[in-house]
Amino acid sequence: MPQLRSRFTTFLSLRWKIIAPLSLVLFAVSASLSYINYDNQRRELEAVRASSETRSERAAAEVVTQLGSQLETLANLIPNLSDVHDALVLGDSAALQVHYQRYWSTLHFNSNLEQVLFFKPDGALISSWREDDAREVSPTLTALAKRVTQQEQPQRLMVCNGTCLYYYFIPVLDNGRSVAAVAVAASLADAVLAFRRMTDTDIAIVAPYSALPHTDLKQARIPVLKRRVLAISGGAGSIAMLQQIQPGTTKTQKHMSAQYQNRQYEILPVALPNIAMTGNASMLIMFDRTNDLRHLDNVARRSIVVGVTGLIISELMLLALLWLPMRRFTRITQTLPLLGQRQFDAAREQLARIGTQKIPDELDIFHASTLELTDKLEDLQTRNTAHADELSKLVRQLSRERDFISGLLDTAQMLIITQDGQGRILMANAYVLALTGYDYVDLHGAPMSAYFSLPEQAHTLRQQISGLLHSDGASLRQESPLRCRNGELRDIVWIHSALAGENPEDAAILSVGLDITELRRVEQQAHYLAEYDALTGLYNRHRFQEALQTLLSHVAEQATGVLIYLDLDEFKSLNDTAGHSAADNVLHAVASQLQGMLPTPALIGRLGGDDFALVFTHLDAARAIQVARHIQLSLGNIALAEVPLSHKVSACIGIAEFPSHGTVAQELLANADLAMFRAKESGRGSMHLYAPDEGLMERVLNRVYWVDKIEQALKEDQFTLHFQPIMALADHTISHHEALVRMNNPVGGLHAPGEFIGVAETTGLIRGIDQWVLKKAIQALAEMQRTSPLTKLSVNLSGRSLSNQRWLELLQYELSHSDVKPSGLILEITETAALEDIASARVWMERVTQLGCVFSLDDFGVGFASFDYLKQLPVDYVKIDGSFIHNIVSNHDDQLFVQALVQTAHAFNKQVVAEFVTSQAIVDLLVEYGVDFAQGYFIGEPKADWHV
């Protein structure tokens, strides 16, 4: 039995399953009875409390009413005294004061009067009987006395200021007219004492703080209620108790609670009777609830004790009644595991020890049934052992045959499935399960068409399989998609063959499948790559040209259109500086921008490394130029994290119309390409519309010629430096030189910069020339400074190298690995290059100047710069363009410009250099204007040897 219990994570005896619910029922009954008893007691106490509060409220109202009745009697009595009445009629104050000595003590001590006031008909006070000597009364009393005289009606008034007085006013009549008014007043303290005697309960008269005169601050206060005590029974103890009122009970409940000296109190606010009042006073009745609450707690405790005691006694009785029967039941059930363990003799022996009762019950029937079950199980065990031996032999034989066939099927890298005559799967080899991801349980018995064909092909497959069953020795070849469990589609070629079988449940169809998915994928990829660019997904050149030819063949139907040919600017430089990954991202971004164009291009393709083409139909030349400008703006908006900020994406654009510029795709592409080359001659971001008569082919050939020459010269080091002297006009001595680049001509002589610099700038090869010049210039400067340490050398720097990080790194490397003084290296940049992006140029120039080099602003005056830029750029020299110097002797405008520039430059602490100085007259004029340096053929021609 313990072993069987260990099979379950949790085990609860039947004995406790019976006892536990019954215990819960008993507990619920006991708890309910205890609660009902407690609730009845609570309700009785609530009823008693409510009755007590009602009586107290009535008693409070009654004592105030009795006080009013008493005052009414006295008020009617006093004026009717003969001598008092005569004095009132005469308004004799002295006589009334004589009567005060006679009557006041009796009225004050026996009748508890606090004041007797006599008023004239106009409300003026005639005389007053009171303990103090005060002669003044409040305006409220005066006004009320006047109203009583006029209306001849008695009035009541409560005045609760320093104390709470109950006033009763009556008119005094003589011969049918009002001649005076009498007011009698008693303190509500008398009512408080009367209430205490009547109910044996304390009461307090309270009023708000605002009613308290500023001169009297001695009255007790109740901070929580913001009230002051005017009168109270119980003395200081009652005041202290009221000051313990719990704050949370003052706003949300009818009663207020307080705890004082281990006793519980309830305070009931009660309004004073409906009488005119000043001071907003009210009554607080104080009930001591300590005994009631203690009685309720005692009832609750007794109920719990009685309930728990009854529950325990009931549980013990229940346990005693169930213990023996459940123990016998447990012993019988403990024999059942022995039957499972085939210990039949032990089971009989244990049942015999349990025995039976004299008066049988259900447990005796259970005992007899268990004994009968033991005999039957033992007989079945004997017969099963014999059958098991025979089956074991058959199983071993079938296992050997099965293992052979399964091994044969599972090693084949093909899908092998057998079906019955209804197309249901009987067997699937391991390759099927591995390829599809289905379990054998999923496939076995399922229709093959449900798993190994698409829904729209399932019906056709079932018909073909059915036809195969009725053919003699035929087979069926079929190709269909297969959807795997993960949703992947595989292409399968099937061979279905009919099998001979006599039993309808035997395999009727053998299906063998070959997975050709990879073969199809390779075919599709090859087809895609034959027509599309792998990086951008656009048409490649071959497919674009085919589509363009198809479009041109229908040009008569589609009217005219344009071909726009783009070549990205400085893409090779970007590839070299930022890497292939960044360049690929730029190409992908450009393709995305072109695909989002409006109007939508009819064709779009990537024709080469950085070449793109777009075809628009129903577009004339003017509209095409607008579209080309829009393309330039779109490309300029491309910003990628891996692309340097200094590199702005742009393109040179060539435009060709059709059919006027070509009706054959190859011809139209060639003409658009020529127009693009013409645009590149104008600089980055340019565009050009093809014109047949502008000699573009000759320019392209010339451009190609010089590109080859420049690349070859860079590769074979065919460039050389010549040095032109620059003279200081202050002392007519050579201050420094300018290094000028030349290209060696293999057939002899030199190529001037004007022949190749333009092509180098448009193709981006100028960066390579800049780097070559920088290296050679620093080497030459090092040699110069060894002879003359203060020698300086000026070097021209193209706009393409401006903000180029690699050029800056080269400068740092060359300066650190040479002995030159960086201050001797003057870098000349053109005004146009500096102002193209002045913010970036200034940052880049400041980084160069931190290395110690200085800048010269070349060709100043030919751009659009204002003199204000001289202050913004960190240049030390300003070189006036030669166009202002060549004719300065005879041109008055040039003279004015040079004078203005010299004055401005000197104001900014910059020195001025004039180039193209060709005569002594120009030198004299420059000296007169204050120019600092002069350069030109008159000073000295460029020479290969700087010593000359």
Side-chain angles (χ1 to χ4, degrees):
M1 194 69 175
Q3 294 178 352
L4 290 176
R5 291 184 180 180
S6 63
R7 297 180 183 178
F8 305 98
T9 55
T10 57
F11 177 82
L12 183 62
S13 171
L14 183 61
R15 177 188 300 113
W16 295 112
K17 288 184 178 179
I18 295 173
I19 293 175
L22 291 176
S23 299
L24 289 177
V25 171
L26 291 174
F27 174 77
V29 171
S30 177
S32 299
L33 292 175
S34 299
Y35 175 76
I36 291 172
N37 182 39
Y38 171 79
D39 189 60
N40 289 334
Q41 292 293 325
R42 182 184 60 80
R43 290 175 183 273
E44 291 178 3
L45 288 177
E46 288 291 336
V48 171
R49 184 179 70 175
S51 175
S52 173
E53 290 176 356
T54 302
R55 290 196 304 271
S56 298
E57 289 181 5
R58 291 174 180 173
E62 183 179 348
V63 295
V64 175
T65 303
Q66 290 177 354
L67 179 61
S69 299
Q70 180 182 354
L71 291 176
E72 181 180 0
T73 301
L74 294 173
N76 288 305
L77 174 64
I78 293 173
N80 291 321
L81 297 174
S82 60
D83 46 2
V84 174
H85 184 271
D86 295 339
L88 284 174
V89 171
L90 298 174
D92 189 351
S93 174
L96 289 175
Q97 286 301 115
V98 172
H99 299 320
Y100 165 77
Q101 300 295 335
R102 183 187 308 171
Y103 299 115
W104 175 244
S105 297
T106 302
L107 293 174
H108 178 60
F109 292 106
N110 295 337
S111 301
N112 296 319
L113 288 183
E114 296 292 333
Q115 294 180 11
V116 178
L117 305 177
F118 303 97
F119 296 93
K120 295 179 180 180
D122 61 356
L125 182 66
I126 302 174
S127 180
S128 62
W129 296 354
R130 63 176 77 178
E131 282 300 303
D132 54 27
D133 297 330
R135 295 289 297 170
E136 296 181 359
V137 295
S138 67
T140 303
L141 298 178
T142 303
L144 186 58
K146 182 178 181 180
R147 186 164 65 250
V148 167
T149 305
Q150 293 173 350
Q151 296 178 356
E152 297 183 357
Q153 293 291 332
Q155 296 287 338
R156 291 179 172 85
L157 176 67
M158 285 192 184
V159 178
C160 297
N161 291 325
T163 182
C164 201
L165 296 178
Y166 190 157
Y167 286 90
Y168 189 87
F169 288 79
I170 63 168
V172 178
L173 302 177
D174 184 62
N175 296 324
R177 64 183 182 88
S178 296
V179 296
V182 176
V184 295
S187 173
L188 283 185
D190 298 330
V192 167
L193 297 176
F195 178 84
R196 181 71 174 85
R197 289 191 299 270
M198 182 185 299
T199 63
D200 197 27
T201 302
D202 290 319
I203 190 171
I205 307 295
V206 296
Y209 285 169
S210 57
L212 182 66
H214 295 293
T215 57
D216 187 3
L217 300 176
K218 296 182 180 180
Q219 292 173 323
R221 297 191 177 196
I222 307 174
V224 174
L225 303 179
K226 296 183 179 179
R227 295 289 192 273
R228 56 195 174 90
V229 178
L230 302 178
I232 191 168
S233 64
S238 296
I239 295 174
M241 182 272 292
L242 289 177
Q243 291 174 342
Q244 300 299 317
I245 292 177
Q246 299 175 9
T249 64
T250 59
K251 296 182 179 180
T252 60
Q253 301 180 11
K254 177 182 177 181
H255 301 86
M256 294 175 285
S257 300
Q259 183 174 357
Y260 178 66
Q261 293 184 349
N262 295 325
R263 301 190 69 84
Q264 296 290 334
Y265 293 89
E266 281 186 356
I267 296 90
L268 177 66
V270 177
L272 288 169
N274 189 16
I275 300 172
M277 181 189 303
T278 62
N280 195 22
S282 61
M283 294 185 289
L284 298 178
I285 303 177
M286 296 164 274
F287 300 96
D288 188 348
R289 302 298 187 192
T290 305
N291 294 333
D292 294 340
L293 294 175
R294 288 176 181 174
H295 174 71
L296 194 60
D297 289 342
N298 292 332
V299 170
R301 280 195 291 271
R302 285 196 302 270
S303 298
I304 292 173
V305 170
V306 172
V308 171
T309 304
L311 178 63
I312 294 173
I313 294 173
S314 301
E315 289 289 334
L316 293 175
M317 293 178 62
L318 180 62
L319 184 61
L321 290 173
L322 292 176
W323 186 262
L324 291 177
M326 292 307 301
R327 181 172 179 272
R328 190 161 177 255
F329 176 78
T330 301
R331 293 179 64 187
I332 295 174
T333 57
Q334 287 175 349
T335 63
L336 296 179
L338 297 176
L339 301 181
Q341 299 168 5
R342 302 176 186 177
Q343 299 179 18
F344 302 108
D345 293 336
R348 290 190 187 94
E349 181 180 352
Q350 184 167 334
L351 288 172
R353 286 199 301 268
I354 296 173
T356 58
Q357 300 180 106
K358 293 180 180 181
I359 301 177
D361 56 14
E362 287 83 355
L363 290 178
D364 293 297
I365 297 174
F366 182 39
H367 180 277
S369 299
T370 305
L371 188 59
E372 183 180 354
L373 179 63
T374 302
D375 297 335
K376 290 184 178 181
L377 287 178
E378 185 177 19
D379 181 57
L380 288 174
Q381 176 63 32
T382 303
R383 285 183 290 174
N384 287 339
T385 301
H387 291 313
D389 293 339
E390 294 178 6
L391 289 175
S392 178
K393 295 178 182 179
L394 293 175
V395 168
R396 285 194 295 270
Q397 182 179 355
L398 292 175
S399 296
R400 287 193 296 268
E401 295 176 0
R402 182 200 60 196
D403 293 342
F404 173 76
I405 296 175
S406 297
L408 181 64
L409 294 177
D410 291 340
T411 55
Q413 295 298 303
M414 304 181 72
L415 293 87
I416 301 177
I417 295 174
T418 59
Q419 311 172 49
D420 61 12
Q422 302 300 320
R424 294 188 294 264
I425 299 173
L426 299 178
M427 185 277 299
N429 68 343
Y431 187 72
V432 172
L433 304 180
L435 181 66
T436 63
Y438 292 114
D439 296 331
Y440 184 77
V441 177
D442 298 330
L443 300 179
H444 184 70
M448 180 175 176
S449 58
Y451 284 92
F452 295 91
S453 64
L454 296 181
E456 58 269 20
Q457 299 174 335
H459 180 69
T460 303
L461 177 60
R462 287 194 296 269
Q463 289 182 333
Q464 291 175 341
I465 294 297
S466 178
L468 183 62
L469 290 173
H470 298 88
S471 62
D472 296 331
S475 62
L476 172 65
R477 187 181 187 279
Q478 176 210 14
E479 181 176 340
S480 65
L482 164 64
R483 186 177 299 277
C484 300
R485 166 165 279 178
N486 59 7
E488 179 186 6
L489 287 177
R490 311 288 297 183
D491 292 318
I492 309 295
V493 174
W494 293 99
I495 302 295
H496 304 286
S497 303
L499 299 175
E502 298 179 357
N503 192 338
E505 297 181 357
D506 292 341
I509 300 292
L510 173 65
S511 300
V512 180
L514 179 64
D515 185 5
I516 59 171
T517 305
E518 192 62 25
L519 176 62
R520 289 286 184 265
R521 189 190 66 78
V522 172
E523 290 176 352
Q524 293 174 359
Q525 183 69 14
H527 178 74
Y528 179 83
L529 293 177
E531 295 188 346
Y532 292 90
D533 175 52
L535 177 62
T536 62
L538 304 177
Y539 280 164
N540 58 17
R541 176 178 284 274
H542 172 73
R543 182 69 183 91
F544 181 85
Q545 193 165 334
E546 285 183 348
L548 178 59
Q549 185 59 53
T550 302
L551 187 146
L552 291 175
S553 65
H554 299 85
V555 69
E557 302 175 8
Q558 299 186 6
T560 61
V562 296
L563 169 65
I564 297 179
Y565 197 106
L566 288 81
D567 182 84
L568 299 182
D569 293 326
E570 303 181 26
F571 185 75
K572 183 178 182 301
S573 172
L574 174 65
N575 213 350
D576 294 339
T577 56
H580 296 295
S581 176
D584 289 346
N585 290 338
V586 169
L587 293 174
H588 193 274
V590 170
S592 298
Q593 290 285 354
L594 297 180
Q595 288 173 312
M597 284 285 299
L598 288 176
T600 304
L603 292 174
I604 180 171
R606 180 188 175 200
L607 307 187
D610 59 348
D611 294 342
F612 294 84
L614 300 94
V615 175
F616 295 90
T617 58
H618 303 286
L619 210 65
D620 57 13
R623 183 77 176 102
I625 291 174
Q626 293 179 357
V627 171
R629 289 174 179 163
H630 179 62
I631 292 174
Q632 291 286 27
L633 291 175
S634 298
L635 298 183
N637 292 329
I638 294 176
L640 301 174
E642 57 269 32
V643 177
L645 294 176
S646 59
H647 183 87
K648 301 294 184 181
V649 179
S650 64
C652 288
I653 298 177
I655 305 172
E657 297 182 88
F658 59 83
S660 58
H661 295 160
T663 58
V664 179
Q666 187 173 0
E667 177 188 8
L668 189 63
L669 281 168
N671 290 336
D673 195 12
L674 290 174
M676 183 272 293
F677 274 107
R678 179 67 182 86
K680 277 196 171 293
E681 291 181 352
S682 302
R684 61 180 294 169
S686 301
M687 65 183 72
H688 188 76
L689 178 66
Y690 176 77
D693 56 350
E694 61 182 354
L696 285 178
M697 183 59 70
E698 291 77 7
R699 295 186 181 183
V700 170
L701 293 176
N702 180 65
R703 172 192 175 94
V704 172
Y705 168 79
W706 279 111
V707 168
D708 291 340
K709 292 281 289 182
I710 295 170
E711 290 178 344
Q712 183 178 4
L714 287 171
K715 183 178 180 179
E716 299 177 0
D717 197 19
Q718 291 298 318
F719 289 104
T720 184
L721 289 181
H722 281 210
F723 304 92
Q724 185 174 24
I726 298 175
M727 183 177 71
L729 295 179
D731 54 7
H732 291 77
T733 59
I734 301 301
S735 64
H736 57 287
H737 294 75
E738 181 179 1
L740 303 171
V741 67
R742 303 287 188 266
M743 181 192 292
N744 292 322
N745 191 339
V747 298
L750 296 172
H751 291 296
E755 298 181 68
F756 59 85
I757 289 296
V759 175
E761 288 183 341
T762 58
T763 58
L765 293 173
I766 191 65
R767 288 192 176 92
I769 297 176
D770 282 344
Q771 294 176 10
W772 184 92
V773 170
L774 179 64
K775 293 178 182 178
K776 297 299 181 181
I778 290 178
Q779 294 174 7
L781 179 60
E783 183 180 352
M784 292 178 180
Q785 289 184 346
R786 281 193 288 271
T787 304
S788 177
L790 299 180
T791 299
K792 298 182 179 180
L793 182 62
S794 182
V795 179
N796 285 287
L797 180 63
S798 71
R800 296 296 182 90
S801 293
L802 197 64
S803 300
N804 188 325
Q805 180 63 26
R806 295 188 67 180
W807 186 92
L808 182 59
E809 293 173 355
L810 177 64
L811 174 62
Q812 292 173 323
Y813 176 82
E814 293 294 334
L815 291 176
S816 63
H817 290 78
S818 64
D819 297 330
V820 302
K821 295 179 180 179
S823 58
L825 183 61
I826 303 173
L827 302 174
E828 292 192 9
I829 59 171
T830 63
E831 171 193 350
T832 305
L835 298 181
E836 183 176 351
D837 186 354
I838 188 169
S840 299
R842 182 172 59 214
V843 173
W844 185 84
M845 292 170 67
E846 288 174 350
R847 294 180 62 186
V848 173
T849 55
Q850 289 174 0
L851 299 176
C853 304
V854 297
F855 278 97
S856 174
L857 191 61
D858 196 10
D859 298 337
F860 190 82
V862 298
F864 301 96
S866 68
F867 290 139
D868 183 59
Y869 287 119
L870 294 178
K871 180 174 63 175
Q872 298 187 40
L873 295 174
V875 297
D876 294 304
Y877 299 91
V878 177
K879 181 175 285 189
I880 305 174
D881 187 72
S883 60
F884 298 102
I885 303 299
H886 186 67
N887 297 317
I888 192 172
V889 175
S890 59
N891 191 312
H892 181 67
D893 292 337
D894 292 344
Q895 293 174 6
L896 293 177
F897 177 79
V898 171
Q899 291 181 69
L901 173 59
V902 171
Q903 293 175 5
T904 303
H906 285 169
F908 293 139
N909 295 321
K910 304 182 189 303
Q911 296 180 301
V912 181
V913 181
E915 59 181 0
F916 279 74
V917 177
T918 57
S919 66
Q920 183 62 45
I922 294 177
V923 172
D924 294 339
L925 201 58
L926 294 177
V927 171
E928 179 184 345
Y929 292 162
V931 176
D932 301 291
F933 302 97
Q935 178 183 0
Y937 275 36
F938 182 75
I939 306 301
E941 297 182 8
K943 300 292 183 180
D945 187 358
W946 61 273
H947 296 90
V948 178

